[in-house]
C-alpha cells in the first residue's frame, strides 16, 4: 500500500460553470480526514478560465472564500508572513505573476490560518486580500 502525503489540486479553468463547489463538497470529508492525519493539500488557482477555484476551496472545507479577482503584472504583492514556512525568503514586494489572483475572504479567525501573501503592505494597517493562504489543521 502506498502512502500519500500531498494532494495537489491544479487550477480548473475549463471546468463546467458552477461545478467546482459541488466537486469540493463531494471530497470535503476525505480532505478533512487526510489533513487531520498530517496530509498536505495544495490548491492552485489562477485568474484564467472561469475563476471558480474559490468555490472549490470553500466546498472542500479548506478556507471560506467568496470569490477571486484577477491581478495584473502592475499589481504588487507583499509577504505578510515572513516567519511562516511558506513566506520564508520571499522577496517583498514583488509584482504579481501572470494569471495571478487574490481571494475575497474575511480576516483569519484563528492562529492556524495565515495570509502569507496579500495585496496590501503591512504599513497600510489592514491585512488586504490574500493571494497565498497557509492553514494548519491540528490532528
Amino acid at each position: 500500500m502506498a502512502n500519500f502525503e500531498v494532494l495537489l489540486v491544479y487550477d480548473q479553468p475549463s471546468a463546467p460553470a458552477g461545478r467546482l463547489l459541488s466537486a469540493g463538497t463531494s471530497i470535503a470529508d476525505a480532505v478533512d480526514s487526510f489533513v487531520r492525519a498530517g496530509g498536505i493539500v495544495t490548491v492552485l488557482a489562477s485568474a484564467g478560465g472561469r475563476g471558480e477555484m474559490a468555490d472549490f476551496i470553500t466546498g472542500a472545507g479548506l478556507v471560506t472564500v467568496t470569490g477571486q479577482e484577477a491581478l495584473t503584472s502592475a499589481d504588487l504583492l507583499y509577504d505578510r508572513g515572513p516567519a511562516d514556512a511558506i513566506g520564508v525568503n520571499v522577496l517583498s514586494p514583488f509584482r504579481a505573476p501572470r494569471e495571478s489572483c487574490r481571494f475575497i475572504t474575511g480576516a483569519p479567525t484563528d492562529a492556524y490560518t495565515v495570509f502569507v501573501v496579500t495585496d496590501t503592505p503591512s504599513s497600510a494597517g489592514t491585512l488586504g486580500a490574500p493571494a497565498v493562504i497557509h492553514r494548519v489543521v491540528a490532528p
Side-chain angles (χ1 to χ4, degrees):
M1 182 168 108
N3 291 318
F4 298 98
E5 297 177 4
V6 178
L7 169 62
L8 175 60
V9 181
Y10 288 96
D11 186 28
Q12 301 295 309
S14 301
R19 294 286 302 272
L20 290 178
L21 178 62
S22 61
T25 302
S26 71
I27 65 167
D29 290 340
V31 166
D32 184 62
S33 296
F34 179 70
V35 297
R36 290 192 185 284
I40 297 168
V41 177
T42 301
V43 179
L44 304 176
S46 76
R50 300 200 188 281
E52 295 183 4
M53 289 305 289
D55 294 340
F56 177 84
I57 292 166
T58 298
L62 297 169
V63 178
T64 301
V65 291
T66 58
Q68 64 190 68
E69 296 177 341
L71 295 169
T72 70
S73 60
D75 291 316
L76 290 176
L77 293 172
Y78 303 88
D79 183 359
R80 298 294 297 271
D84 185 87
I86 295 175
V88 172
N89 295 325
V90 173
L91 296 177
S92 185
F94 62 95
R95 296 231 177 257
R98 188 179 60 179
E99 298 287 325
S100 294
C101 65
R102 64 181 153 226
F103 296 104
I104 309 307
T105 184
T109 57
D110 58 50
Y112 301 107
T113 304
V114 177
F115 289 0
V116 180
V117 175
T118 74
D119 61 356
T120 307
S122 58
S123 61
T126 63
L127 191 53
V132 177
I133 302 170
H134 183 202
R135 180 171 170 244
V136 176
V137 176

